[in-house]
Amino acid sequence: KNADQLSTILGELEGMWEGSAKQAFSAAVRDDLGRLKELVRVIRDLTQRTSDARQEYDKCENAVSQIVSSIKV
């Protein structure tokens, strides 16, 4: 969402000046925005995978706990 807002702002800025500096700045910002979007995607994926791993760990932990508590000595 914020990356899209930055892209909109960049579009507004592009209309305010001309020349090679504008082109260089725009190219650099667009490159940064692309990297930002990729970073956000990777972090979201990592967050989801971490959550999935935590759920799996909890299931295993509960199973082990039940097995241990069912042992009668």
Side-chain angles (χ1 to χ4, degrees), residues 32-50:
D32 289 346
L33 284 172
R35 291 173 191 239
L36 175 62
K37 288 178 181 181
E38 178 63 15
L39 178 61
V40 168
R41 186 194 66 74
V42 167
I43 290 173
R44 283 184 177 149
D45 184 56
L46 177 62
T47 301
Q48 182 61 52
R49 290 174 185 257
T50 302

Side-chain angles (χ1 to χ4, degrees), residues 18-29:
E18 297 292 327
S20 61
K22 169 190 163 181
Q23 293 169 344
F25 177 79
S26 295
V29 171

